[in-house]
């Protein structure tokens, strides 16, 4: 019965998404909803993109294991990313009327940087979308009592998301996000109240968290601990800024005010509401202590679904799985669309000249389909890897390769194309070197990559000018002597 209702819910969201797809007439409609979304929809769609499977399943699993300190990356770093985008990036980028974030790299630095940054951004989506697909497989596996294998669930889930993203693009994503976020927020809030009562009151849950030192946020006052804490915090806080899905939400706004305020409100709301799944899992430790202890050792991601299925009435089960699917589908649809649009606009067009807008729209839809197939294969191959790790690993490549050229280009007039190339090469090289060697266990690879990217930008931008000035001064001195 529960599985039937979940499938029915999937069909309803597909129908809504296809209805919204009627608005798509050209590539601007498909990629950025024709720049017509109001503030309320910018808030819900930024919040929805962030509130995915890792928020409902991954973050609570990390929280009960290591406290707030272990989830600094997401939700805190991730939420602050949206706040930073709204405060420092949205206004400047919105006024440029671009279709993708990679268009900015072309305008500021040229084709070569555009191509490399597009590849970096696309690569980062593999892990993120795969995490959502993995979660869909887990949901169907749990709901069917094991009758549907995780890989079969992954296929089912991917097809359901493709059904409307393929046709409606950003319009379908925004409209379904709006509805799914209402279901998500209401569903999880009601569940939290119910679970708190089952555990003997919210104060009991909070008291347990305090007794287990779960609210400890700051690292130990040791250099290495502080370094890794800072690296975890900035991975999503900065690594998510040059992402096409964030940029799409900014550019989809109907005015600059909505483009700047939407991400800030969405980010603050995300950090606050991500505490709800953490509260639910902590409640489970009181409601079903033996099962929770066993699942903590086996797979902490299953604590919350098990709590709902075994300890709550049918109505609550429907609410939870409706909310969970809303979270997963909203994130997955957004993250399927973003790299596909980037590929067509910034890579495909460099080799195949644009013929007509309708042809480009068709190419975008084909790329959504191809990317979905690649993600599905990747997710099935990585089956069993924790969702939180799949998501956090996805952002390191953009952190070390794309953040510095974007920020420097917007805020430092002396940034040059050579500086951007140096930043990308030094950032990626140092990151890969530390990842591949034992040095990465002593110094965080992503922090090293970011620092070297800054060094590369400064050297590449100022170096040639300094050499030129020195050369000029040398000739001037020689001229005086003669």
């Amino acid at each position: 019965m529960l599985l039937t209702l979940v499938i029915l819910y999937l069909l309803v969201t597909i129908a809504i998404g296809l209805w919204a797809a009627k608005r798509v007439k050209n590539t601007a409609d498909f990629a950025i909803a024709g720049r017509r979304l109001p503030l309320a929809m910018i808030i819900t769609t930024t919040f929805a993109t962030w509130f995915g499977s890792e928020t409902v399943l991954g973050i609570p699993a990390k929280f009960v294991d290591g406290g707030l300190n272990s989830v600094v990356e997401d939700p805190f770093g991730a939420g602050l990313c949206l706040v930073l985008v709204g405060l420092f990036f949205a206004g400047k980028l919105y006024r440029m009327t671009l279709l993708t974030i990679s268009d900015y790299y072309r305008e500021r630095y040229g084709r070569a940087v555009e191509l490399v940054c597009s590849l970096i951004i696309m690569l980062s989506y593999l892990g993120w979308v795969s995490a959502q697909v993995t979660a869909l497989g887990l949901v169907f596996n749990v709901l069917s009592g094991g009758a549907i294998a995780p890989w079969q669930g992954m296929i089912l889930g991917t097809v359901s998301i493709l059904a409307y993203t393929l046709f409606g693009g950003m319009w379908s994503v925004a409209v379904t996000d709006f509805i799914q976020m209402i279901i998500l927020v209401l569903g999880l809030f009601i569940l939290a109240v119910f679970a708190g009562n089952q555990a003997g009151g919210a104060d009991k849950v909070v008291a347990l968290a305090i007794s287990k030192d779960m609210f400890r946020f700051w690292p130990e006052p040791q250099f290495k601990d502080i370094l890794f804490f800072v690296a975890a915090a900035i991975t999503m806080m900065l690594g998510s800024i040059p992402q096409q899905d964030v940029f799409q939400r900014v550019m989809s706004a109907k005015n600059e005010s909505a483009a700047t305020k939407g991400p800030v409100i969405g980010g603050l709301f995300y950090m606050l509401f991500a505490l709800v799944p953490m509260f639910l899992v902590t409640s489970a430790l009181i409601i079903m202590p033996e099962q929770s202890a066993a699942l903590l050792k086996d797979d902490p991601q299953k604590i919350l679904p098990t709590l709902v299925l075994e300890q709550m009435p049918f109505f609550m089960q429907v609410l939870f799985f409706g909310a969970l699917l809303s979270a997963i589908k909203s994130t997955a649809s957004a993250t399927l669309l973003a790299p596909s649009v980037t590929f067509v606009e910034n890579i495909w067009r460099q080799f195949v000249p644009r013929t007509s807008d309708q042809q480009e729209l068709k190419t975008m839809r084909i790329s959504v389909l191809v990317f979905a197939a690649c993600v599905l294969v990747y997710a099935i191959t990585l089956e069993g890897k924790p969702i939180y790790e799949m998501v956090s690993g996805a952002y390191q490549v953009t952190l070390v390769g794309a953040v510095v050229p974007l920020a420097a280009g917007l805020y430092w007039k002396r940034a040059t194309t050579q500086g951007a190339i140096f930043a990308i090469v030094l950032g990626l090289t140092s990151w890969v070197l530390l990842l591949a060697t034992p040095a990465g266990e002593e110094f965080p690879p992503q922090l090293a990559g970011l620092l070297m990217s800054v060094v590369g930008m400064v050297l590449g931008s100022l170096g040639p000018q300094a050499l030129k000035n020195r050369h000029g001064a040398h000739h001037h001195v020689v001229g005086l002597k003669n």
Side-chain angles (χ1 to χ4, degrees), residues 365-388:
R365 283 173 171 153
I366 292 167
S367 69
V368 169
L369 189 64
V370 172
F371 189 74
C374 293
V375 164
L376 188 57
V377 171
Y378 186 70
I380 292 169
T381 308
L382 285 183
E383 193 184 321
K385 189 174 181 182
I387 289 166
Y388 193 93

mmCIF file of all heavy atoms in Angstrom, residues 365-388:
data_model
loop_
_atom_site.group_PDB
_atom_site.id
_atom_site.type_symbol
_atom_site.label_atom_id
_atom_site.label_comp_id
_atom_site.label_asym_id
_atom_site.label_seq_id
_atom_site.Cartn_x
_atom_site.Cartn_y
_atom_site.Cartn_z
ATOM 1 N N ARG A 365 18.101 18.704 -24.567
ATOM 2 C CA ARG A 365 17.290 17.577 -24.074
ATOM 3 C C ARG A 365 18.033 16.248 -24.246
ATOM 4 O O ARG A 365 17.990 15.385 -23.368
ATOM 5 C CB ARG A 365 15.942 17.560 -24.800
ATOM 6 C CG ARG A 365 14.990 18.629 -24.259
ATOM 7 C CD ARG A 365 13.727 18.748 -25.059
ATOM 8 N NE ARG A 365 12.770 19.613 -24.388
ATOM 9 C CZ ARG A 365 11.836 20.319 -25.007
ATOM 10 N NH1 ARG A 365 11.724 20.274 -26.334
ATOM 11 N NH2 ARG A 365 10.995 21.073 -24.312
ATOM 12 N N ILE A 366 18.717 16.107 -25.371
ATOM 13 C CA ILE A 366 19.494 14.872 -25.601
ATOM 14 C C ILE A 366 20.608 14.762 -24.563
ATOM 15 O O ILE A 366 20.868 13.694 -24.019
ATOM 16 C CB ILE A 366 20.078 14.844 -27.042
ATOM 17 C CG1 ILE A 366 18.937 14.709 -28.076
ATOM 18 C CG2 ILE A 366 21.082 13.709 -27.210
ATOM 19 C CD1 ILE A 366 19.361 14.974 -29.514
ATOM 20 N N SER A 367 21.267 15.899 -24.250
ATOM 21 C CA SER A 367 22.369 15.871 -23.278
ATOM 22 C C SER A 367 21.863 15.551 -21.867
ATOM 23 O O SER A 367 22.565 14.902 -21.088
ATOM 24 C CB SER A 367 23.148 17.188 -23.297
ATOM 25 O OG SER A 367 22.392 18.234 -22.781
ATOM 26 N N VAL A 368 20.640 15.974 -21.526
ATOM 27 C CA VAL A 368 20.036 15.612 -20.234
ATOM 28 C C VAL A 368 19.899 14.089 -20.150
ATOM 29 O O VAL A 368 20.232 13.467 -19.143
ATOM 30 C CB VAL A 368 18.647 16.280 -20.037
ATOM 31 C CG1 VAL A 368 17.915 15.690 -18.829
ATOM 32 C CG2 VAL A 368 18.790 17.784 -19.845
ATOM 33 N N LEU A 369 19.428 13.498 -21.252
ATOM 34 C CA LEU A 369 19.232 12.047 -21.324
ATOM 35 C C LEU A 369 20.572 11.295 -21.188
ATOM 36 O O LEU A 369 20.683 10.334 -20.422
ATOM 37 C CB LEU A 369 18.556 11.690 -22.653
ATOM 38 C CG LEU A 369 18.078 10.257 -22.839
ATOM 39 C CD1 LEU A 369 16.982 9.907 -21.840
ATOM 40 C CD2 LEU A 369 17.554 10.054 -24.268
ATOM 41 N N VAL A 370 21.577 11.761 -21.914
ATOM 42 C CA VAL A 370 22.894 11.106 -21.889
ATOM 43 C C VAL A 370 23.535 11.234 -20.510
ATOM 44 O O VAL A 370 24.075 10.262 -19.969
ATOM 45 C CB VAL A 370 23.821 11.698 -22.988
ATOM 46 C CG1 VAL A 370 25.242 11.163 -22.840
ATOM 47 C CG2 VAL A 370 23.271 11.391 -24.372
ATOM 48 N N PHE A 371 23.454 12.439 -19.922
ATOM 49 C CA PHE A 371 24.053 12.646 -18.601
ATOM 50 C C PHE A 371 23.353 11.773 -17.549
ATOM 51 O O PHE A 371 24.009 11.209 -16.671
ATOM 52 C CB PHE A 371 23.982 14.117 -18.189
ATOM 53 C CG PHE A 371 24.773 14.423 -16.946
ATOM 54 C CD1 PHE A 371 26.157 14.479 -16.979
ATOM 55 C CD2 PHE A 371 24.133 14.638 -15.732
ATOM 56 C CE1 PHE A 371 26.899 14.739 -15.829
ATOM 57 C CE2 PHE A 371 24.861 14.900 -14.569
ATOM 58 C CZ PHE A 371 26.246 14.961 -14.624
ATOM 59 N N ALA A 372 22.031 11.648 -17.659
ATOM 60 C CA ALA A 372 21.273 10.803 -16.724
ATOM 61 C C ALA A 372 21.743 9.354 -16.804
ATOM 62 O O ALA A 372 21.890 8.676 -15.784
ATOM 63 C CB ALA A 372 19.782 10.896 -17.030
ATOM 64 N N ALA A 373 21.992 8.875 -18.023
ATOM 65 C CA ALA A 373 22.471 7.498 -18.213
ATOM 66 C C ALA A 373 23.861 7.315 -17.594
ATOM 67 O O ALA A 373 24.129 6.312 -16.925
ATOM 68 C CB ALA A 373 22.512 7.172 -19.700
ATOM 69 N N CYS A 374 24.742 8.311 -17.783
ATOM 70 C CA CYS A 374 26.098 8.246 -17.205
ATOM 71 C C CYS A 374 26.040 8.210 -15.676
ATOM 72 O O CYS A 374 26.745 7.434 -15.031
ATOM 73 C CB CYS A 374 26.928 9.460 -17.639
ATOM 74 S SG CYS A 374 27.292 9.495 -19.404
ATOM 75 N N VAL A 375 25.184 9.059 -15.115
ATOM 76 C CA VAL A 375 25.036 9.133 -13.658
ATOM 77 C C VAL A 375 24.507 7.814 -13.096
ATOM 78 O O VAL A 375 24.969 7.330 -12.059
ATOM 79 C CB VAL A 375 24.095 10.302 -13.275
ATOM 80 C CG1 VAL A 375 23.604 10.164 -11.843
ATOM 81 C CG2 VAL A 375 24.808 11.626 -13.452
ATOM 82 N N LEU A 376 23.554 7.246 -13.795
ATOM 83 C CA LEU A 376 22.950 5.980 -13.360
ATOM 84 C C LEU A 376 24.008 4.870 -13.291
ATOM 85 O O LEU A 376 24.096 4.138 -12.303
ATOM 86 C CB LEU A 376 21.815 5.590 -14.312
ATOM 87 C CG LEU A 376 20.946 4.405 -13.920
ATOM 88 C CD1 LEU A 376 20.311 4.603 -12.552
ATOM 89 C CD2 LEU A 376 19.845 4.199 -14.970
ATOM 90 N N VAL A 377 24.827 4.780 -14.328
ATOM 91 C CA VAL A 377 25.902 3.777 -14.363
ATOM 92 C C VAL A 377 26.891 4.023 -13.223
ATOM 93 O O VAL A 377 27.307 3.106 -12.511
ATOM 94 C CB VAL A 377 26.637 3.805 -15.730
ATOM 95 C CG1 VAL A 377 27.881 2.927 -15.704
ATOM 96 C CG2 VAL A 377 25.692 3.354 -16.840
ATOM 97 N N TYR A 378 27.254 5.297 -13.027
ATOM 98 C CA TYR A 378 28.204 5.688 -11.968
ATOM 99 C C TYR A 378 27.651 5.337 -10.582
ATOM 100 O O TYR A 378 28.357 4.791 -9.736
ATOM 101 C CB TYR A 378 28.455 7.185 -12.083
ATOM 102 C CG TYR A 378 29.516 7.738 -11.152
ATOM 103 C CD1 TYR A 378 30.865 7.443 -11.339
ATOM 104 C CD2 TYR A 378 29.169 8.587 -10.103
ATOM 105 C CE1 TYR A 378 31.840 7.971 -10.496
ATOM 106 C CE2 TYR A 378 30.139 9.116 -9.254
ATOM 107 C CZ TYR A 378 31.466 8.812 -9.464
ATOM 108 O OH TYR A 378 32.428 9.330 -8.637
ATOM 109 N N ALA A 379 26.356 5.631 -10.361
ATOM 110 C CA ALA A 379 25.720 5.370 -9.063
ATOM 111 C C ALA A 379 25.644 3.868 -8.773
ATOM 112 O O ALA A 379 25.897 3.429 -7.649
ATOM 113 C CB ALA A 379 24.318 5.985 -9.035
ATOM 114 N N ILE A 380 25.290 3.085 -9.794
ATOM 115 C CA ILE A 380 25.206 1.625 -9.612
ATOM 116 C C ILE A 380 26.593 1.049 -9.313
ATOM 117 O O ILE A 380 26.753 0.169 -8.470
ATOM 118 C CB ILE A 380 24.561 0.951 -10.852
ATOM 119 C CG1 ILE A 380 23.067 1.343 -10.945
ATOM 120 C CG2 ILE A 380 24.697 -0.570 -10.793
ATOM 121 C CD1 ILE A 380 22.378 0.973 -12.250
ATOM 122 N N THR A 381 27.625 1.596 -9.989
ATOM 123 C CA THR A 381 29.006 1.145 -9.763
ATOM 124 C C THR A 381 29.460 1.441 -8.327
ATOM 125 O O THR A 381 30.163 0.647 -7.720
ATOM 126 C CB THR A 381 29.959 1.849 -10.759
ATOM 127 O OG1 THR A 381 29.455 1.669 -12.078
ATOM 128 C CG2 THR A 381 31.358 1.282 -10.689
ATOM 129 N N LEU A 382 29.036 2.607 -7.800
ATOM 130 C CA LEU A 382 29.475 3.029 -6.467
ATOM 131 C C LEU A 382 28.510 2.595 -5.361
ATOM 132 O O LEU A 382 28.594 3.116 -4.247
ATOM 133 C CB LEU A 382 29.619 4.555 -6.410
ATOM 134 C CG LEU A 382 30.836 5.165 -7.109
ATOM 135 C CD1 LEU A 382 30.849 6.664 -6.900
ATOM 136 C CD2 LEU A 382 32.142 4.587 -6.592
ATOM 137 N N GLU A 383 27.617 1.689 -5.659
ATOM 138 C CA GLU A 383 26.601 1.264 -4.687
ATOM 139 C C GLU A 383 27.260 0.864 -3.353
ATOM 140 O O GLU A 383 28.218 0.096 -3.329
ATOM 141 C CB GLU A 383 25.807 0.072 -5.234
ATOM 142 C CG GLU A 383 24.549 -0.226 -4.432
ATOM 143 C CD GLU A 383 23.829 -1.477 -4.939
ATOM 144 O OE1 GLU A 383 23.783 -1.684 -6.172
ATOM 145 O OE2 GLU A 383 23.338 -2.233 -4.109
ATOM 146 N N GLY A 384 26.752 1.435 -2.268
ATOM 147 C CA GLY A 384 27.300 1.120 -0.945
ATOM 148 C C GLY A 384 28.151 2.237 -0.364
ATOM 149 O O GLY A 384 28.417 2.266 0.827
ATOM 150 N N LYS A 385 28.557 3.213 -1.209
ATOM 151 C CA LYS A 385 29.343 4.338 -0.698
ATOM 152 C C LYS A 385 28.418 5.314 0.029
ATOM 153 O O LYS A 385 27.327 5.607 -0.478
ATOM 154 C CB LYS A 385 30.059 5.059 -1.849
ATOM 155 C CG LYS A 385 31.058 6.092 -1.370
ATOM 156 C CD LYS A 385 31.863 6.686 -2.511
ATOM 157 C CE LYS A 385 32.863 7.698 -1.979
ATOM 158 N NZ LYS A 385 33.645 8.339 -3.033
ATOM 159 N N PRO A 386 28.805 5.836 1.217
ATOM 160 C CA PRO A 386 27.928 6.760 1.952
ATOM 161 C C PRO A 386 27.534 7.988 1.133
ATOM 162 O O PRO A 386 28.376 8.573 0.438
ATOM 163 C CB PRO A 386 28.788 7.167 3.161
ATOM 164 C CG PRO A 386 29.756 6.054 3.327
ATOM 165 C CD PRO A 386 30.036 5.548 1.945
ATOM 166 N N ILE A 387 26.252 8.365 1.222
ATOM 167 C CA ILE A 387 25.708 9.482 0.452
ATOM 168 C C ILE A 387 26.447 10.785 0.770
ATOM 169 O O ILE A 387 26.781 11.561 -0.122
ATOM 170 C CB ILE A 387 24.190 9.615 0.724
ATOM 171 C CG1 ILE A 387 23.442 8.452 0.062
ATOM 172 C CG2 ILE A 387 23.645 10.942 0.221
ATOM 173 C CD1 ILE A 387 22.010 8.256 0.517
ATOM 174 N N TYR A 388 26.705 11.036 2.059
ATOM 175 C CA TYR A 388 27.357 12.278 2.488
ATOM 176 C C TYR A 388 28.718 12.432 1.817
ATOM 177 O O TYR A 388 29.074 13.510 1.353
ATOM 178 C CB TYR A 388 27.517 12.281 4.015
ATOM 179 C CG TYR A 388 27.897 13.625 4.605
ATOM 180 C CD1 TYR A 388 26.921 14.510 5.059
ATOM 181 C CD2 TYR A 388 29.231 14.003 4.726
ATOM 182 C CE1 TYR A 388 27.263 15.731 5.622
ATOM 183 C CE2 TYR A 388 29.580 15.221 5.274
ATOM 184 C CZ TYR A 388 28.595 16.078 5.726
ATOM 185 O OH TYR A 388 28.943 17.290 6.267
#
